[in-house]
Amino acid sequence: MPSVTSSTRPFGAVLTAMVTPMTSDGAVDLAAAAALARHLVDDGHDGLVLNGTTGEAPTTHAPEKAELVAAVVEAVGDRAYVVAGAGSNDTAHAVRMAEQAAEAGAHGLLVVSPYYSRPSQPGVVAHISAVADATDLPVMLYDVPGRAGVRMAPQTIDALAAHDRVVAMKDATGDVFAASAAAQRTGLAWYCGDDGLFLPFLAHGGAGVVGVASHVVGAQFAALVRAWDAGDHAEALRLFRSATPAIEAINGAGFQAVYAKAALETLGLLANRAVRLPYVPAPDEAVDDIRAGLRAAGLLDAALA
């Protein structure tokens, strides 16, 4: 099991918020999940985040979540960090999710603000602290106001950063300047939560990315980090720009879980693009656009597209 020892990159640099593969009738496909996890790690990933929004966590159930974590830990847990989502607007439920993830072998937790309920800032602190207190696992906070309906205030981040097990932030606010200031102020490792802002986050001291397009551009992202760390910023920019068609294709419509599955199916990495309601599978015309984006990013041979 990897040890979370680095204060600058406690979960590595390149992580993907992994989709949850399903059979054509909507059952969680653990064998496909293990195979996808192995592919992503072979492609340069340092870690995988399971049971997040991209993993369709709102529509998978507690036994499925735990089984998914256990299957992925068995598949890649000696080579990559496995971080499990423990997100709910019911604090007691989020605590149980954290406990079950720990029992299943997760190496860390991703904890989002309580969505839909839109609690006060003290409520956000109390909720996340309760989840962090539930296990001995290190915690990555997740600030995603577009989905949660509430943004973490600076004082909220400061309060949570003081918790012994809170080590990182996944930032999907789109506010790179505020992220840089908060990272400097708190000492937390700051991970970009938007594929399109990965390079700007690195330029502002970010630790890495928890991506979605990284399902298909993981090798490019890993090479980008190596170039950046080596001081070859021109090469990092070239790699980022080479990945932008795929980033746009998967993220542009805002249905990341749906479009990521369609991209993986197109590349032969998933057998289908099945999702659970209220998501519906990507329509054929969207798949055509995704295929074009993959081809433009050099990921799909034109003869096969």
Side-chain angles (χ1 to χ4, degrees), residues 88-91 112-128 148-153 156:
S88 175
N89 58 355
D90 173 356
T91 303
V112 69
S113 302
Y115 46 83
Y116 189 74
S117 300
R118 298 184 64 187
S120 66
Q121 293 295 318
V124 173
V125 173
H127 171 92
I128 294 177
V150 61
R151 180 174 177 175
M152 294 183 192
T156 295

XYZ file of all heavy atoms in Angstrom, residues 88-91 112-128 148-153 156:
207
model
N -21.868 13.042 0.783
C -23.310 12.988 0.971
C -23.739 14.275 1.640
O -22.934 14.944 2.289
C -23.706 11.786 1.849
O -25.091 11.807 2.130
N -25.022 14.633 1.483
C -25.519 15.764 2.262
C -26.101 15.307 3.589
O -26.633 16.107 4.355
C -26.535 16.589 1.463
C -27.720 15.763 0.992
O -27.759 14.556 1.168
N -28.684 16.426 0.372
N -25.993 14.016 3.875
C -26.360 13.431 5.162
C -25.058 13.060 5.863
O -24.349 12.145 5.431
C -27.242 12.207 4.918
C -27.559 11.417 6.180
O -27.031 11.759 7.258
O -28.333 10.446 6.085
N -24.715 13.775 6.913
C -23.419 13.568 7.551
C -23.254 12.138 8.058
O -22.188 11.524 7.873
C -23.228 14.564 8.709
O -23.361 15.893 8.198
C -21.855 14.409 9.343
N -16.536 15.994 -0.063
C -17.109 17.177 -0.679
C -18.025 17.893 0.309
O -18.535 17.285 1.260
C -17.888 16.780 -1.956
C -19.156 15.995 -1.607
C -18.203 17.989 -2.822
N -18.243 19.179 0.074
C -19.237 19.918 0.860
C -20.599 19.268 0.674
O -20.901 18.744 -0.404
C -19.313 21.377 0.400
O -18.070 22.009 0.517
N -21.451 19.305 1.689
C -22.792 18.728 1.545
C -23.565 19.446 0.437
O -23.803 20.650 0.515
C -23.428 18.957 2.917
C -22.288 19.176 3.849
C -21.224 19.843 3.045
N -23.898 18.711 -0.595
C -24.569 19.294 -1.751
C -26.070 19.431 -1.501
O -26.644 18.792 -0.630
C -24.320 18.438 -3.000
C -24.503 16.955 -2.761
C -25.764 16.370 -2.791
C -23.407 16.139 -2.475
C -25.931 15.027 -2.557
C -23.565 14.792 -2.227
C -24.832 14.236 -2.278
O -24.990 12.903 -2.025
N -26.703 20.283 -2.245
C -28.143 20.535 -2.252
C -28.617 21.215 -0.966
O -29.383 22.167 -1.011
C -28.963 19.258 -2.498
C -30.426 19.518 -2.724
C -30.874 20.058 -3.924
C -31.371 19.261 -1.730
C -32.220 20.322 -4.129
C -32.710 19.528 -1.923
C -33.131 20.060 -3.125
O -34.454 20.331 -3.320
N -28.157 20.752 0.192
C -28.602 21.335 1.466
C -28.105 22.764 1.645
O -28.723 23.557 2.360
C -28.119 20.483 2.645
O -28.617 19.181 2.558
N -26.939 23.056 1.042
C -26.330 24.381 1.149
C -26.225 24.843 2.604
O -26.802 25.858 3.002
C -27.098 25.406 0.322
C -27.097 25.099 -1.174
C -27.786 26.183 -1.972
N -27.059 27.433 -1.861
C -27.508 28.602 -2.343
N -28.696 28.651 -2.925
N -26.785 29.689 -2.221
N -25.466 24.119 3.434
C -25.334 24.515 4.839
C -24.500 25.772 4.992
O -23.833 26.229 4.063
C -24.625 23.309 5.465
C -23.820 22.746 4.338
C -24.673 22.930 3.109
N -24.518 26.331 6.203
C -23.654 27.459 6.524
C -22.199 26.998 6.500
O -21.901 25.799 6.518
C -23.993 28.000 7.912
O -23.665 27.025 8.900
N -21.285 27.965 6.513
C -19.871 27.610 6.542
C -19.503 26.811 7.796
O -18.779 25.813 7.695
C -19.011 28.865 6.396
C -19.135 29.535 5.028
C -18.610 28.692 3.885
O -17.557 28.049 3.993
N -19.339 28.669 2.765
N -19.996 27.168 8.986
C -19.735 26.299 10.138
C -20.297 24.897 9.950
O -19.730 23.918 10.441
C -20.421 27.035 11.301
C -20.396 28.470 10.892
C -20.617 28.447 9.408
N -21.419 24.782 9.223
C -21.976 23.467 8.938
C -21.071 22.654 8.037
O -20.919 21.439 8.218
N -20.459 23.312 7.055
C -19.511 22.622 6.180
C -18.331 22.101 6.993
O -17.901 20.944 6.838
C -19.026 23.556 5.053
C -17.906 22.899 4.250
C -20.177 23.948 4.137
N -17.808 22.937 7.888
C -16.681 22.516 8.729
C -17.077 21.332 9.596
O -16.342 20.333 9.696
C -16.186 23.687 9.602
C -15.133 23.205 10.603
C -15.622 24.799 8.730
N -18.249 21.399 10.219
C -18.680 20.327 11.115
C -18.886 19.022 10.346
O -18.510 17.938 10.819
C -19.962 20.735 11.837
N -19.499 19.119 9.173
C -19.750 17.927 8.362
C -18.440 17.248 7.968
O -18.247 16.034 8.205
C -20.538 18.315 7.109
C -20.661 17.221 6.098
N -21.727 16.347 6.068
C -19.845 16.848 5.060
C -21.574 15.492 5.075
N -20.438 15.783 4.457
N -17.528 18.009 7.352
C -16.286 17.413 6.863
C -15.419 16.933 8.021
O -14.769 15.878 7.939
C -15.544 18.403 5.959
C -16.372 18.654 4.686
C -14.149 17.882 5.606
C -15.787 19.669 3.734
N -22.070 21.473 -5.591
C -22.451 21.471 -4.180
C -23.420 22.597 -3.839
O -24.151 22.514 -2.854
C -21.215 21.567 -3.294
N -23.382 23.681 -4.630
C -24.252 24.817 -4.339
C -23.686 25.762 -3.316
O -24.300 26.785 -3.013
N -22.520 25.454 -2.764
C -21.873 26.321 -1.789
C -20.368 26.227 -2.003
O -19.838 25.142 -2.285
C -22.255 25.922 -0.342
C -21.828 24.501 -0.022
C -21.660 26.884 0.672
N -19.691 27.372 -1.927
C -18.236 27.396 -2.037
C -17.632 27.523 -0.658
O -18.162 28.239 0.207
C -17.799 28.570 -2.912
C -16.289 28.682 -3.091
C -15.923 29.769 -4.083
N -14.468 29.909 -4.193
C -13.865 30.714 -5.055
N -14.584 31.458 -5.897
N -12.542 30.787 -5.094
N -16.526 26.827 -0.431
C -15.849 26.924 0.853
C -15.225 28.303 0.999
O -14.435 28.728 0.147
C -14.762 25.857 0.979
C -15.274 24.441 1.031
S -13.900 23.271 1.272
C -14.727 21.721 0.930
N -15.555 28.998 2.074
C -14.971 30.295 2.357
C -13.529 30.111 2.844
O -13.166 29.039 3.346
C -15.790 31.014 3.423
N -13.256 28.708 6.233
C -13.642 27.304 6.285
C -12.465 26.424 5.891
O -12.164 25.418 6.557
C -14.839 27.056 5.352
O -15.960 27.773 5.853
C -15.173 25.576 5.247
